[in-house]
Amino acid sequence: MPTLDLAPDFSLTDLKDVRKDLAPEELYEHVIRNQEAVLAPGGAIVARTGQYTGRSPNDKFIVKDAESEDTIWWDQVHSFSPDQFEALRKRQEEYLRGKPVYVRNCHGGTDPEYRIGLRVVTMTAWHNLFAYNMFVRTPESQRPDFEPDFTIVHTPEFKAVPSRDGTQSEAFVVINFTKRMVLIGGTLYAGEIKKSIFTVLNYLLPLQGVLGMHCSANIGPEGDSALFFGLSGTGKTTLSADPDRALIGDDEHGWSDAGVFNFEGGCYAKVIKLSAEAEPEIHATTRMFGTILENVAFKDGTRELDLDSSEFTENTRASYPIESIPNVTPDLRGGHPTHLIMLTCDAFGVLPPISKLTPEQAMYHFISGYTAKVAGTERGITEPKATFSACFGAPFMALHPAVYAKLLGEKLAKHGTQCWLVNTGWSGGPYGTGSRMKIQHSRAMLHAALGGKLDTVETQTDPVFGLHVPTTCPGVPAEVLWPRNTWASGSDYDAKALHLAQLFHKNFGKYAEQADDAIKNAGPTAK
């Protein structure tokens, strides 16, 4: 029975079969034969992930040993001992005996100087197709000599026993930097595969002076790069997929001395309520061969996709190769960014739709990583809930946020990047009273900022947040730019704005010791 070597010094033995680097067409055959997913009109496959329809942060661990003990920010990371890792790895290895596996040899990172070789071992064909879509593909000519730097072993039906394995549930994601391995089990949600390697790169690259970023990136006609930071639901993927600008990538990037480079070879877009009119390029991928749709429902009695349905989850996803988007950069790389956009979906409805940031303000808002979501369902609680995620990606940033913020500040200073805060959330009041910012207005503001049309526009300083708000913007009504003017009651706006300012101050207190006075003083001016 075949044996599969893993990085750096482990092997899986007595496997039933090892299916290496199958083409998407072959994987489709296995998906249908194994009844792992179903076909949708246009050629996409639709998979269900059962209990886990999103990432499970409480089930993610990093092995604490001599390699990681003094570098990981353990305040925000669950630790796992080397002995626990070895015991769980052996149980997973035993589970795989006599079973077939799918293997994908690929890379994380499009810059040859900083990329890492990945060996992804899965038990299902559709998860192997996910790895094909999401990671950087290895040319066939290089596969015979391929040596992985990191290995992922994914066994969704192998469930941990917390009392025995030291996990918190049956699901687990365990990263071991010394052994160069990631163990994933107990969950079918494919995003765990992608985000585990994002965490790995965000640990390794800053130690080499490269900033790992949870952001989208694109390039304008003049070769000007732009970065788009934002948590889920802020429009990061949607707004970076611009027909007038070539896409570098939609989610994970590095910023080195040579410029910006994508960590991935594909996109993993949220598709709930996806609109063909507002987001035509992403919408088209849901009808393409090679796309994986996670937990998307069908309309009753048909095979017609229902992208508006949240029957299984609000977190419906599409995984597709980046070349499925018509306008992408050939090498998924770009120069140093001219503009950096921080996106927030402010459900309180008080932040300006666009603000010009000083470098210190940019670092403050980068460390804060703010957005606001509606707590509960539309029929339930309507009060917005503030969410702060350091560096716009705290679950994937294994080092202290100050490490990433310092790198960002150095790069902003060196390359003169202009930073903006863009609110794609509510206007005219909070969720339940106001309305969501029109995507046409958000696009108009971004086009104006990226095109230099706001460079000389007069700004007003927001008295609560200290932000520099343009007084005019092409394609956007002037009253929309100053949020207080859109509320029926100015006093209600003032109270809600002060509330949000206080939440900013409270959150930033966790990082104040590591921030200098210029950054600490760059937050909201109201106390």
Side-chain angles (χ1 to χ4, degrees):
M1 299 180 80
T3 293
L4 177 65
D5 292 329
L6 305 180
D9 56 359
F10 295 115
S11 297
L12 296 175
T13 59
D14 297 328
L15 298 168
K16 181 179 180 181
D17 192 13
V18 177
R19 299 153 179 171
K20 287 188 178 180
D21 295 313
L22 299 187
E25 294 80 3
E26 295 176 280
L27 290 171
Y28 259 63
E29 293 173 2
H30 286 257
V31 166
I32 301 305
R33 185 184 306 133
N34 300 341
Q35 297 183 333
E36 298 173 4
V38 297
L39 282 173
I45 61 170
V46 180
R48 303 274 180 256
T49 64
Q51 175 185 354
Y52 294 93
T53 58
R55 289 183 301 101
S56 187
N58 287 332
D59 295 314
K60 181 177 177 180
F61 303 85
I62 294 177
V63 174
K64 189 173 187 178
D65 57 16
E67 166 87 11
S68 61
E69 185 172 9
D70 296 328
T71 50
I72 299 294
W73 189 35
W74 295 108
D75 287 357
Q76 297 295 312
V77 175
H78 298 303
S79 65
F80 216 61
S81 75
D83 288 343
Q84 287 174 315
F85 176 85
E86 186 61 15
L88 183 59
R89 187 196 67 77
K90 286 181 177 178
R91 291 218 306 120
Q92 188 186 51
E93 178 184 353
E94 185 63 32
Y95 172 82
L96 285 168
R97 291 184 191 277
K99 295 181 175 65
V101 296
Y102 298 86
V103 178
R104 177 69 47 192
N105 291 320
C106 47
H107 287 89
T110 57
D111 186 333
E113 186 172 351
Y114 297 108
R115 72 184 185 184
I116 61 173
L118 305 174
R119 176 160 290 160
V120 185
V121 182
T122 70
M123 297 191 68
T124 57
W126 83 263
H127 285 103
N128 201 260
L129 180 62
F130 179 86
Y132 173 89
N133 285 351
M134 300 311 305
F135 296 122
V136 181
R137 292 179 281 283
T138 303
E140 188 172 354
S141 61
Q142 298 178 15
R143 291 176 191 166
D145 300 321
F146 183 87
E147 292 291 339
D149 300 302
F150 251 87
T151 296
I152 304 172
V153 182
H154 180 223
T155 51
E157 300 300 330
F158 170 64
K159 299 177 181 180
V161 179
S163 60
R164 176 178 180 174
D165 297 312
T167 59
Q168 305 209 49
S169 77
E170 64 187 20
F172 59 89
V173 179
V174 186
I175 301 172
N176 190 322
F177 286 106
T178 298
K179 301 299 184 182
R180 299 294 199 229
M181 289 190 71
V182 181
L183 309 182
I184 303 175
T187 174
L188 284 159
Y189 182 66
E192 299 286 19
I193 298 173
K194 157 191 160 72
K195 289 303 187 184
S196 66
I197 293 305
F198 187 36
T199 305
V200 167
L201 288 167
N202 283 332
Y203 172 82
L204 296 175
L205 294 184
L207 304 178
Q208 303 175 60
V210 177
L211 175 61
M213 304 177 293
H214 188 211
C215 70
S216 302
N218 63 24
I219 300 179
E222 305 301 319
D224 54 305
S225 298
L227 303 178
F228 300 77
F229 288 84
L231 301 176
S232 178
T234 59
K236 179 164 55 73
T237 298
T238 297
L239 293 171
S240 61
D242 185 332
D244 297 325
R245 298 177 63 87
L247 185 68
I248 300 174
D250 82 321
D251 196 43
E252 304 174 4
H253 293 84
W255 187 354
S256 72
D257 288 340
V260 174
F261 63 97
N262 197 343
F263 285 169
E264 303 184 298
C267 302
Y268 192 45
K270 286 191 74 169
V271 295
I272 190 73
K273 295 181 173 60
L274 191 67
S275 164
E277 291 73 30
E279 300 149 302
E281 294 180 335
I282 300 173
H283 189 275
T285 67
T286 66
R287 271 73 177 171
M288 287 184 185
F289 175 86
T291 294
I292 302 166
L293 298 173
E294 277 188 334
N295 299 311
V296 172
F298 292 109
K299 293 185 177 178
D300 288 345
T302 74
R303 282 293 190 199
E304 184 180 352
L305 295 172
D306 187 354
L307 297 178
D308 292 332
S309 173
S310 58
E311 176 183 352
F312 300 102
T313 178
E314 286 279 338
N315 189 38
T316 54
R317 292 276 178 171
S319 163
Y320 50 88
I322 198 168
E323 57 266 26
S324 297
I325 298 292
N327 188 20
V328 298
T329 55
D331 58 0
L332 307 185
R333 298 166 68 182
H336 298 290
T338 306
H339 293 275
L340 186 154
I341 313 293
M342 296 183 186
L343 298 166
T344 181
C345 177
D346 177 30
F348 294 103
V350 295
L351 284 179
I354 187 166
S355 309
K356 200 172 189 177
L357 301 178
T358 66
E360 292 76 19
Q361 286 176 324
M363 294 176 70
Y364 179 94
H365 285 278
F366 177 70
I367 291 174
S368 298
Y370 165 73
T371 195
K373 299 177 181 180
V374 177
T377 67
E378 292 187 7
R379 292 182 297 172
I381 301 170
T382 58
E383 178 67 21
K385 181 180 180 180
T387 298
F388 295 93
S389 184
C391 311
F392 293 96
F396 325 118
M397 304 295 176
L399 307 175
H400 193 284
V403 175
Y404 304 101
K406 182 175 184 292
L407 277 172
L408 176 67
E410 292 171 353
K411 293 182 184 301
L412 293 179
K414 184 174 182 179
H415 303 291
T417 305
Q418 176 60 59
C419 300
W420 306 84
L421 181 67
V422 173
N423 173 23
T424 61
W426 269 255
S427 179
Y431 175 88
T433 302
S435 57
R436 186 79 187 258
M437 198 76 63
K438 293 181 179 178
I439 193 169
Q440 294 87 348
H441 288 165
S442 295
R443 288 195 187 280
M445 288 182 279
L446 285 174
H447 286 169
L450 298 179
K453 296 178 182 178
L454 299 182
D455 288 352
T456 58
V457 168
E458 182 183 354
T459 63
Q460 290 180 285
T461 302
D462 185 291
V464 177
F465 299 101
L467 301 167
H468 307 289
V469 184
T471 55
T472 62
C473 179
V476 182
E479 63 271 16
V480 172
L481 298 172
W482 198 252
R484 194 175 191 274
N485 293 340
T486 67
W487 281 54
S489 168
S491 60
D492 287 348
Y493 169 87
D494 294 339
K496 192 65 71 176
L498 179 59
H499 172 66
L500 179 57
Q502 291 169 340
L503 293 178
F504 265 99
H505 289 304
K506 181 180 179 181
N507 173 72
F508 200 81
K510 296 181 292 187
Y511 315 108
E513 287 187 9
Q514 287 79 25
D516 61 34
D517 288 342
I519 298 173
K520 285 187 283 190
N521 294 333
T525 52
K527 302 290 185 180

